[in-house]
Amino acid sequence: MTEIRWHSRAGQGAVSGAKGLGDVVATTGKEVQAFALYGSAKRGAALRAYNRIADEQILNHAKFMHPDYVLVIDPALAYTDTITEHEKDETKYIITTHLSKEELIAGIPDLQGKEDRVFVVDCIQISLDTIGRSMPNSPMLGAFVKVSGMFELDYFLENMKRVLKKFPQKIIDANMEAITRAYNEVK
């Protein structure tokens, strides 16, 4: 089973990102869960969203997990939240930041010694450039697709277009650009 934990703030799209990822995974015939836990529903409040992906039925519905991937959408949460909580020896971290990987790791002692498992991408800047506002969930999905190798980029984009079909074409196109750019820029 693959487990993914998202660290975000309300309004940054982590819940929508987890659900969109779940929708695409479901097209592969795998079982998937996508859910979130958060306190107040106020915009800006810290929250966590989760995905589980498996070949067989998923009976575990607990928030507790040992994540294979930790996706940090809000850069500040990399410093203030316990992003390494319940990690595995192979957990991979994808973190939104304008810093280099070396600068980021230097400021987060829990990530030191895990350089080969930490990936950085500036999802906020990418979303500002492509979507026109800070909505870093789509770029994070692009980075996840690259780091995980779970999907071919073209397959993921085609299925995300279906997920986003309720939106105007301009928004769909902007999201496709954001996903592709993050896929290409994640380091």
Side-chain angles (χ1 to χ4, degrees), residues 6 13 21 67 82 139 167:
W6 300 65
L21 176 60
T82 51
F167 293 105

Side-chain angles (χ1 to χ4, degrees), residues 112-123:
Q112 293 173 8
K114 301 171 185 166
E115 290 79 5
D116 61 327
R117 297 186 287 127
V118 175
F119 301 86
V120 297
V121 61
D122 195 344
C123 293

